[in-house]
Amino acid sequence: MRGTPRAEEARPSVLGRLIRLADSDAAAAGVLLAATLVALVWANVPGSTYEATWHTPLAVRLGDAALEMDLRHWVNDALMAVFFCLISLEVKRDLVLGEFRDTRRIRIPVVAALAGLAVPALVFLAVTGISDQPGEARAAWGVVISTDTAFVLGLLAVVGRAVPVNLRAFVLALSVVDDVGALAVIAVAYTDELTLLPLAVAVVGLLAVLALRRMRVWRGWAYLLLAVPVWLGVLASGVHPTVAGVAIGLLLPVYPPSADEVDAAEAAARAYGRTPTSSGAHRAVLSLTRSVSVNERGQRLFRPWVNLAVVPVFALANAGVVLSGETLAAAATSGLTWAIVAGLVAGKVVGVTTASLAAVRLGVGRLPSGLFPRHVLAAGVLSGIGFTISLFIIDLALEDPVLAAEARIGVLAASVIAALLALAAVAVVRAVDRSRLPGRQRLSRPVRADRDHVRGRVGAPMELVVHASFVFTNAGRTAEVVDELRQVLGEDLVFVYRHLLTDDPMSARAAEAAEAADTQARFWPMHDALAARAGRLDDRAIRRCAVDAGLNLARVDDALASGAHAARVREDDDDARAMALDEPPRFFVNGQLYDGPLDVGAMRTALEQTAGRSRSRPPAAAVPADAPVDAPAEDALPVRTPATREPFDAEPVA
């Protein structure tokens, strides 16, 4: 039976399937692994054309000017610049809008990455010194300093919810700082000659990118036109040209969609809906495009090409090594091979783990929410998967083909060992997370129906209290996890929301707006609206959330202007500070601090294991119903203003 036109439109196209495939870290890692295996098979077939193919010259000519490199260098120098640009775009977004916009959180990955660069190099030099390797082999110390981002993120995607969601952000930041450091090493240690004039041209191009960003130019082609001369300048200077990709990715503008631009896009789309003309469609597309930053559009543009083409082609061009009995025997007795294995497998985990935990202990920064030392250890093991940049540096550091083959075997062996150890580490961490009981810190203020914001029945067998803020991007993830827990556990779970403020002024504004919604019996609709816009809140967005939640906007504006609910918010925040809760979200499971990951399975296990134990709560008396969003305000929860609530300082403290 033939489908209807609407069904045909809903059916994903081949291009749509490819784009969704490219967005999957697991699929990207699978394609990379397949390309690596193809390269190994190709290099080992009798009469192989592997090396001859990748040394084929290719020239681009424009009049009398020509740029000629062999195919391998086109891949390594040109295509990989796009790869590093994409990674830089992702990190820049995390720094500005995501988990790491709090500088205290990015400090730990930076410290860990720096140690992850230095310690493996020292381990490598120590092993090569003991084994009395030639000077050229010792010059390859840069091989062990880098982590392969694609393989690591792919492995994390494969294990899925076995790890906290913030572990990916931590590993990504760690990997990119690691890659930037590796590229700096390439630029300094593996640059034979430096030509200043082309480098100056590249710097001028980067300054022009900054100027466009300052002028808020939103068209991507303007930045692309500047990227080409920047790349050419870096290439001609003698510095590795992939540095250009990193620099441009870090400079491209990223910002949350402004309310004015979103409104303009909505208006243009409505106008097109009323009068569907080509000019109206063009205006609507331009308005929608303008509302999204160049950074995010660049990620959307580059990711399919990088994941399905650039990185696999790089592996195809660089991973081919002859694995004969002779080469394997030579590698097994080679100090260079074992130095690479020791540097990547042991040096990385020691450097990353010890530096991270030491930095936290010394107060340098904070781990992302939901991460604990066991997760940092798993990240350290994961960082030992070195592949892309490691193969990159082998080509730069080693001219002797025998040493280069031994080094490539070392990189492959180290990556396999590190991947297997990482899977084991993730399994152990997962087991610990699932069995982890809440911590000893107890909830200081017991839950009360006439004070707290409650979803469920006070007195239910399982109680989940969160101290959180709406400004963090994980506020949406927190809401998703809690909703899933409520669906699974039903009436056996009561959920309570309390505030924990951050340094961002919007944190207090959003919390006070939520309290203002509570006086209109619409706290939970406002909570859901704010969580949906987590990480993108400003005064305009908060007012829009109030409208979406069905609030009287004038009353909300008056409450925010007068600070009517500031004291109520501070009481929650003071409670959190007294319990030494330093950052949101922090959960209490049945009255005790939970130190596991933000994961449905782990949190359900903790709730069920501690259900029925003695908890700090008064007898179940007033039982508020969970107000549906579409219910009339007067039929939902009773209106509870600060004047009608009991004094909070009279509450007992457990």
Side-chain angles (χ1 to χ4, degrees):
M1 180 176 178
R2 296 184 61 183
T4 64
R6 185 175 299 274
E8 291 292 331
E9 292 175 3
R11 185 178 302 163
S13 64
V14 174
L15 179 60
R17 293 191 187 99
L18 286 176
I19 291 175
R20 283 199 292 272
L21 182 67
D23 283 335
S24 167
D25 289 328
V31 174
L32 177 56
L33 179 60
T36 302
L37 295 175
V38 169
L40 289 171
V41 172
W42 184 6
N44 285 276
V45 296
S48 172
T49 60
Y50 181 82
E51 289 296 333
T53 299
W54 293 109
H55 282 100
T56 302
L58 175 65
V60 175
R61 299 183 184 277
L62 183 62
D64 295 332
L67 176 60
E68 182 175 335
M69 297 186 290
D70 64 25
L71 291 180
R72 179 172 287 156
H73 279 90
W74 276 109
V75 172
N76 293 354
D77 296 355
L79 292 184
M80 289 301 288
V82 181
F83 165 77
F84 284 111
C85 182
L86 173 63
I87 296 299
S88 296
L89 290 173
E90 292 181 346
V91 169
K92 178 67 176 292
R93 188 189 184 284
D94 275 336
L95 288 172
V96 176
L97 301 178
E99 179 72 16
F100 293 106
R101 65 178 177 172
D102 183 347
T103 57
R104 292 170 296 182
R105 292 180 173 181
I106 192 60
R107 293 173 193 164
I108 301 301
V110 169
V111 171
L114 293 176
L117 293 170
V119 175
L122 294 175
V123 171
F124 175 92
L125 292 173
V127 175
T128 54
I130 293 173
S131 59
D132 195 25
Q133 291 292 297
E136 183 181 358
R138 288 196 292 273
W141 56 270
V143 172
V144 300
I145 64 177
S146 182
T147 297
D148 190 280
T149 307
F151 268 135
V152 169
L153 295 184
L155 188 61
L156 286 177
V158 169
V159 297
R161 290 191 174 185
V163 295
V165 291
N166 282 336
L167 184 59
R168 184 189 185 277
F170 180 82
V171 171
L172 178 60
L174 173 67
S175 298
V176 174
V177 175
D178 179 285
D179 286 340
V180 172
L183 288 174
V185 168
I186 291 171
V188 174
Y190 297 107
T191 298
D192 296 330
E193 296 181 3
L194 181 64
T195 307
L196 295 181
L197 182 58
L199 189 61
V201 171
V203 171
V204 170
L206 293 175
L207 291 175
V209 171
L210 278 174
L212 291 181
R213 191 179 75 178
R214 296 273 306 210
M215 293 186 291
R216 295 189 68 83
V217 173
W218 58 273
R219 294 184 183 271
W221 58 261
Y223 296 95
L224 181 61
L225 288 178
L226 289 173
V228 175
V230 169
W231 179 81
L232 290 172
V234 176
L235 175 67
S237 72
V239 178
H240 202 280
T242 50
V243 174
V246 174
I248 291 170
L250 292 175
L251 292 179
L252 289 182
V254 57
Y255 46 80
S258 72
D260 291 337
E261 290 175 346
V262 172
D263 289 343
E266 290 177 348
R270 286 195 298 269
Y272 173 72
R274 290 191 299 268
T275 309
T277 63
S278 60
S279 60
H282 182 64
R283 284 192 296 271
V285 169
L286 288 181
S287 296
L288 288 168
T289 302
R290 184 170 187 168
S291 67
V292 180
S293 70
V294 178
N295 174 290
E296 293 173 293
R297 282 184 276 132
Q299 290 186 53
R300 184 69 176 170
L301 173 65
F302 292 148
R303 187 173 291 110
W305 293 100
V306 168
N307 287 349
L308 299 183
V310 172
V311 176
V313 169
F314 170 83
L316 194 62
N318 291 272
V321 59
V322 177
L323 299 177
S324 64
E326 182 180 351
T327 58
L328 291 175
T333 58
S334 169
L336 174 60
T337 302
W338 288 108
I340 291 173
V341 172
L344 284 172
V345 176
K348 278 289 186 182
V349 66
V350 171
V352 168
T353 305
T354 57
S356 298
L357 299 183
V360 172
R361 180 63 61 88
L362 294 173
V364 174
R366 299 174 178 173
L367 291 174
S369 56
L371 297 192
F372 299 93
R374 58 186 179 274
H375 303 114
V376 175
L377 177 62
V381 178
L382 279 164
S383 67
I385 304 176
F387 188 77
T388 307
I389 300 299
S390 297
L391 295 177
F392 217 41
I393 295 178
I394 289 173
D395 188 56
L396 298 174
L398 300 173
E399 296 182 1
D400 185 336
V402 175
L403 290 177
E406 293 174 356
R408 288 191 176 93
I409 292 173
V411 168
L412 294 174
S415 298
V416 170
I417 294 171
L420 294 176
L421 290 176
L423 288 173
V426 167
V428 172
V429 166
R430 177 63 166 170
V432 173
D433 286 343
R434 280 196 170 277
S435 63
R436 186 74 173 175
L437 294 177
R440 295 180 179 178
Q441 174 67 60
R442 295 187 61 81
L443 187 66
S444 62
R445 187 187 298 273
V447 173
R448 285 180 45 170
D450 59 347
R451 175 195 187 272
D452 285 301
H453 307 297
V454 177
R455 265 181 166 163
R457 175 177 58 86
V458 175
M462 288 173 273
E463 176 188 277
L464 182 65
V465 179
V466 64
H467 278 269
S469 170
F470 296 108
V471 300
F472 277 100
T473 53
N474 61 8
R477 171 62 178 165
T478 300
E480 291 176 2
V481 170
V482 171
D483 286 345
E484 189 168 343
L485 283 170
R486 293 179 64 226
Q487 291 174 7
V488 172
L489 299 175
E491 296 181 357
D492 288 337
L493 176 67
V494 57
F495 172 62
V496 180
Y497 185 93
R498 292 177 177 176
H499 305 289
L500 173 54
L501 302 182
T502 72
D503 296 334
D504 188 336
M506 285 299 109
S507 178
R509 294 281 288 179
E512 291 179 36
E515 292 298 328
D518 184 48
T519 65
Q520 300 182 43
R522 306 294 290 173
F523 175 85
W524 289 110
M526 186 63 169
H527 166 278
D528 295 343
L530 290 169
R533 289 177 177 261
R536 298 179 287 117
L537 289 177
D538 53 21
D539 285 324
R540 181 74 176 271
I542 290 173
R543 297 183 83 246
R544 180 180 291 275
C545 289
V547 173
D548 293 343
L551 300 179
N552 183 319
L553 190 57
R555 290 174 59 187
V556 174
D557 288 340
D558 290 344
L560 291 177
S562 65
H565 305 292
R568 170 66 176 83
V569 171
R570 282 198 301 272
E571 285 168 347
D572 274 0
D573 189 60
D574 289 344
D575 285 347
R577 304 300 171 185
M579 293 183 291
L581 308 183
D582 53 357
E583 59 181 20
R586 299 308 304 272
F587 290 90
F588 285 82
V589 170
N590 297 327
Q592 294 181 304
L593 182 65
Y594 169 77
D595 64 353
L598 185 58
D599 173 80
V600 174
M603 296 181 76
R604 179 182 179 182
T605 299
L607 283 162
E608 291 175 341
Q609 286 182 345
T610 57
R613 297 184 183 179
S614 175
R615 286 172 288 171
S616 177
R617 62 153 61 108
V623 180
D626 189 10
V629 175
D630 56 353
E634 60 269 22
D635 295 334
L637 295 175
V639 176
R640 294 177 288 121
T641 64
T644 62
R645 293 189 179 113
E646 295 184 19
F648 300 146
D649 54 5
E651 299 279 338
V653 177

